[in-house]
Structures are given as structure tokens and as C-alpha cells.
Amino acid sequence: MLHLLKQRNFALLWTGGLISFIGDWILFVSLPLYILQLTDSVMAMGIGFLVNLLPMLFLGSLGGVFVDRWDRRKVLIWTNLALAPLYSLLLLFDSPGMVWIAYLTMFLGNLIRQLLNPAEHALLPKLVRDDQLVAANALNSLNNNLARLIGPAVGGVVFATLGFRVSVLLDVVTFIVAAVLIALISAPPEITRAAHAVGEDGQPRRKDLRREWLEGIKVIRDRPILAGLLLVVAILNLADGVITVLLAPYARDALGGGSTELGWLLTAQATGGLVGGALIGRLNNRFAPWQLIAFGLMLLGVADVLVFGIPVLWSNIVLFALVGIPIVALDVAAMTLFQRNTEDHLRGRVLGLHFSLVAFSLLIGRGIATFAGDAVGAVPLLVCTSVVIVISGLVAIKLLREPSAGEAPVHGPSQPQLEPGA
């Protein structure tokens, strides 16, 4: 798997992502703490999380339309460069009455990211061969978990010792560094830009935002593998929304702990994610993506039933480390199926719709947990949610087990591609 990092263009994309993710996690820790410190209001902090989610919920699918129109490498460069001065506005946030600056920055920042995320995942299949795609996505997952381990730890220390403004400046610098690294990717336009769709006359179609957006919906509707994948992803993220909200109450009430115990659980999961990324990358094409999804869901659900059904800290830490592996397998396999089963000129739109659905499912899950958590109780609701994850694994076998799924590209490889070492 690590041999992919010897390919210059992929290594530049991967390293830029890692640096940017670390900066994001530094700010993710620092900004809520700073809002709480200035306003002394949990509601003010919660509004920030909601504002951060809204662009992904409503505009993620539209971002994919523009990703399919433009040069994806340039999209990644300019979005990172745009995020740097935008997040610099947080340096002006120094009183409770200025909290609107934080909200505006989070909203606009996540709005810009609706171009960044689809562009990165749509460009990736053009930088590696199809048989390397699982390993490349596994390395990206490894990237995310490394950032989760490094960023929060650095962010906490920086915020406590050097203050919020240094946290902001570090995040701004990571955007600039990421933009420079991606600018160093050397690839012709036929690699970095999506192939244009043509009409019946053989000429490129006229750009039409509504029609292009509907094409993304149509391709999902007409391809059972994509529709089934979105359904499974929606169920999983709904469950994740429930678990995210109830994990802190679980640590407090069932484990008799608090932030320390919660931190151990999350660190264990991130550690398992690192192991999972390396393991999935080594397995590479030994298992079809639908198998990784279906059996990963069942393994994840069973492990979660054991976690929440047996509230013992040491066993929970071990199980949280183990669940990091199927979580990575699910993420890698789902992204691989999306990439392989969508033509290049439609890939940004399909991925944009995917990210919007993720946000919607998370919102529904968090709503269920918020309004039903006290009435039902954290542990019963978490156990029920875990059972739903197991059932979704059985659904995945039914919906995703097709001869072409994950074994060969349904609509042909994303040619042209760069040879290794390019």
C-alpha cells in the first residue's frame, strides 16, 4: 500500500490532505472551547455545530455539479487558498458580541468545502490505476485517522498554552501549504478535468445547472448499485448521529466517568482506524468492496452491541479499537464503489449528493438522540441503534452483491490515467 506514496502526484495530494486535516482538527478543538469561554453558553457553542452542518446539507450536491465542470486540481488549489483568508477573520472574534464572526466563518468555510471534498475524491481515480483504488482510498482513510490523533492533541495544547489566535494561524498556514503541494501535481488537463458530456450531435452540451444536477440524481436512480449504496450509507450515518450525541452521556452514566473516559474511547477508535487503514490497504483486492461493506457493518454492529450492552471501561476501550477497523473498511469500500460505478464526468455530482445525504442522515440521527435520549435512556437507544447497524449489513448483501460490483468498473475505467511513478 505504501508504495503508492512513491507516485509523486498521489503523494502530493495525500500529503496536502493530511496537513490540511491536521489544521482542521486543531481548530475543531479550539473554536468550540473559545466560543464557550467567551460566551459561557452551551447553546452558543451548539449553534456553531449546526451552522457548520447546513451548507453540506443543502448545497453539497450543487458543489458536485461545478466540480464536474472545472479542473479539479485547480478547484483544490483555489478552495484552499480561499479558506486561508476566510478563517483569518476569526482573529477578529474577541468578545461575545462578535460570535457572529465565528458563525459566518464556519458557514462560508463549509460552503467552500462543498467544492473541495467532491473534487478530491473525483480526482483520485485519475491519479492511480483501477486496481490500486482500494489501496489509495485506504491511504486516505489512514490520512484522516492520523489527523484525528495528531490534530486534537496539538489543538488542545496550543489553545491552553498559546491561545486561540495561534490555533487560527496554524489552521490558515495548513491551507496555504496544502494549496502549494497540490499546485505541484503535474498532470495534463485530460487527467485533472472531467470529460465533457456530449449531446446527440457529438458537441459538448450547453451548461445548465438544473439539468446537470438532475443528471446526478438520475444516474443514482437508474443504477441499483448506487441507489443501494446510498441507502446503506444513510442508515449507517443515521446510526452514527445517534451514537455521537449519546456517547458522552454513556461515558458519564454507564461508565461513571467523564471527559477522560470519553477521550480514551475516541483515541482507541482512532488507533483502530490506523490499523484498519493499513490492513485494508494490504488486503487490497482480495475482497470485493460489497463484502467489506456488508460484513464490516455486521462486525461493527455486533461490536457496538457488546460495547453498550457491557459497560466496562477496559473492554469498551478494546472494542472501540476493534471497531475502528470495520469503520475504515466501510469508508474505503463505499468510496471505491462510488468511484468505480460512476463515469468521470458525473462523479463530482454523485459524490456531492452522497455528502449531502451523509449530512441529512447525521442530522436525523442527532435529532433522534436529542429528543429520545432522555425518554428512552442512552444505553437502550445505543443498543437498538447497534442492532440496526447489524441489520443494515444484511441489507447490504442483498443490495450490493452483484457480479460487477467492486470486481470491475461497471462503466469502464476512468481513462486516461497516469502510470505509476508519473
Side-chain angles (χ1 to χ4, degrees):
M1 178 177 73
L2 294 178
H3 70 278
L4 283 174
L5 294 177
K6 296 179 181 179
Q7 298 185 28
R8 181 175 181 274
N9 288 323
F10 176 78
L12 288 168
L13 182 67
W14 186 87
T15 306
L18 175 62
I19 292 171
S20 182
F21 282 142
I22 289 174
D24 291 343
W25 277 103
I26 289 173
L27 194 64
F28 183 80
V29 169
S30 301
L31 183 54
L33 290 173
Y34 190 61
I35 292 174
L36 189 61
Q37 177 180 300
L38 283 185
T39 65
D40 195 27
S41 170
V42 174
M43 179 178 290
M45 184 179 67
I47 290 173
F49 285 111
L50 177 61
V51 166
N52 200 45
L53 189 63
L54 289 178
M56 185 176 173
L57 179 61
F58 294 110
L59 299 171
S61 59
L62 286 179
V65 174
F66 294 104
V67 165
D68 286 337
R69 288 183 180 182
W70 300 334
D71 186 307
R72 290 157 180 170
R73 172 177 161 273
K74 290 181 180 178
V75 169
L76 292 172
I77 295 170
W78 286 109
T79 49
N80 276 288
L81 290 178
L83 288 168
L86 176 63
Y87 278 90
S88 298
L89 293 176
L90 290 171
L91 297 173
L92 303 176
F93 174 33
D94 59 2
S95 67
M98 303 287 280
V99 71
W100 63 270
I101 293 178
Y103 296 156
L104 179 64
T105 302
M106 285 188 282
F107 179 84
L108 293 177
N110 213 21
L111 186 64
I112 292 172
R113 290 175 193 274
Q114 303 320 302
L115 295 173
L116 191 152
N117 292 330
E120 178 184 358
H121 291 291
L123 177 61
L124 179 62
K126 304 293 288 291
L127 298 181
V128 299
R129 298 195 311 266
D130 183 75
D131 63 337
Q132 298 172 325
L133 196 52
V134 172
N137 282 317
L139 271 172
N140 268 357
S141 181
L142 189 70
N143 177 320
N144 295 341
N145 282 288
L146 277 171
R148 284 181 63 188
L149 281 177
I150 298 170
V154 173
V157 172
V158 168
F159 181 79
T161 58
L162 301 176
F164 175 67
R165 284 174 173 76
V166 175
S167 300
V168 172
L169 290 173
L170 284 175
D171 193 29
V172 168
V173 168
T174 63
F175 288 129
I176 296 171
V177 172
V180 170
L181 289 173
I182 294 167
L184 293 174
I185 292 176
S186 57
E190 58 265 26
I191 294 292
T192 58
R193 182 186 290 274
H196 290 295
V198 296
E200 294 180 0
D201 59 358
Q203 297 300 314
R205 289 183 181 177
R206 183 175 59 85
K207 293 176 180 178
D208 183 325
L209 184 62
R210 180 177 179 276
R211 176 185 55 75
E212 292 173 80
W213 181 73
L214 289 175
E215 281 180 349
I217 295 177
K218 185 176 184 297
V219 74
I220 292 170
R221 184 193 65 193
D222 292 346
R223 294 176 192 170
I225 186 73
L226 293 178
L229 187 56
L230 281 179
L231 176 61
V232 171
V233 166
I235 296 172
L236 176 62
N237 281 281
L238 187 148
D240 183 51
V242 173
I243 293 171
T244 299
V245 171
L246 295 181
L247 199 54
Y250 170 80
R252 181 193 64 192
D253 300 335
L255 297 180
S259 60
T260 300
E261 288 72 16
L262 179 60
W264 287 344
L265 295 178
L266 294 177
T267 300
Q269 183 176 314
T271 304
L274 289 174
V275 174
L279 180 62
I280 300 303
R282 286 183 174 276
L283 293 175
N284 201 350
N285 293 322
R286 295 185 187 180
F287 295 95
W290 73 263
Q291 293 174 316
L292 293 175
I293 293 172
F295 298 112
L297 283 167
M298 287 187 279
L299 178 60
L300 175 62
V302 169
D304 281 348
V305 168
L306 293 175
V307 165
F308 302 123
I310 308 174
V312 177
L313 181 59
W314 69 265
S315 66
N316 279 192
I317 291 174
V318 172
L319 287 168
F320 257 75
L322 290 177
V323 301
I325 298 174
I327 287 174
V328 169
L330 291 166
D331 181 53
V332 169
M335 187 54 64
T336 300
L337 279 182
F338 276 122
Q339 292 164 334
R340 282 180 172 171
N341 288 277
T342 311
E343 295 98 331
D344 183 50
H345 72 276
L346 293 166
R347 192 171 287 142
R349 276 164 277 183
V350 170
L351 290 174
L353 287 164
H354 158 64
F355 289 126
S356 288
L357 182 63
V358 166
F360 181 75
S361 303
L362 285 171
L363 187 64
I364 295 297
R366 291 173 184 177
I368 291 172
T370 299
F371 292 105
D374 289 334
V376 177
V379 170
L381 193 52
L382 286 167
V383 171
C384 289
T385 300
S386 303
V387 173
V388 169
I389 295 175
V390 176
I391 295 172
S392 70
L394 300 174
V395 173
I397 293 177
K398 176 67 176 177
L399 296 180
L400 305 182
R401 187 177 183 175
E402 296 184 1
S404 58
E407 297 170 6
V410 173
H411 300 284
S414 302
Q415 297 294 341
Q417 291 173 311
L418 297 181
E419 291 302 317

